[in-house]
Amino acid sequence: MIVCVCKRVSDRDIARNVHAGMGFDDIQFELGVATQCGRCEGCARDVVAQCQRMHTIAHIKPAPTETQGLAWNTPSPLSPRWASA
Ligand code: FES
């Protein structure tokens, strides 16, 4: 979807830059979004905010389970042996 008609900037262009770690001001400078008539600024900011939320959630990893994320010889913190020690 085109967000900025004046500069032909799409939501994908914005998302790509958010995932590269850029904020709205950086994206505005890089792509020129909301620098001509300004009508797209609200929508562009919404797209940036939405992408930042999704980007943050994507980096949250679940805690390792009993069978995941532990070396073969590491006692599991979920093991009853740790409860008595
Ligand atoms: S639509 Fe983005 S500056 Fe005009």
Side-chain angles (χ1 to χ4, degrees):
M1 168 184 85
I2 295 293
V3 173
C4 178
V5 176
C6 296
K7 296 293 182 174
R8 295 190 51 81
V9 177
S10 71
D11 55 346
R12 287 184 177 194
D13 297 328
I14 293 172
R16 193 176 319 113
N17 284 281
V18 169
H19 293 303
M22 298 171 94
F24 179 80
D25 292 344
D26 297 327
I27 293 169
Q28 188 177 35
F29 183 77
E30 182 73 18
L31 302 177
V33 65
T35 58
Q36 200 160 330
C37 75
R39 289 186 193 165
C40 60
E41 183 172 347
C43 181
R45 286 187 183 276
D46 288 347
V47 171
V48 169
Q50 189 175 8
C51 291
Q52 286 173 332
R53 279 195 300 272
M54 292 173 67
H55 190 63
T56 302
I57 290 169
H59 280 81
I60 297 173
K61 293 181 181 172
T65 62
E66 177 77 22
T67 57
Q68 295 176 329
L70 298 171
W72 66 273
N73 60 352
T74 304
S76 169
L78 304 175
S79 167
R81 285 188 304 164
W82 283 60
S84 62

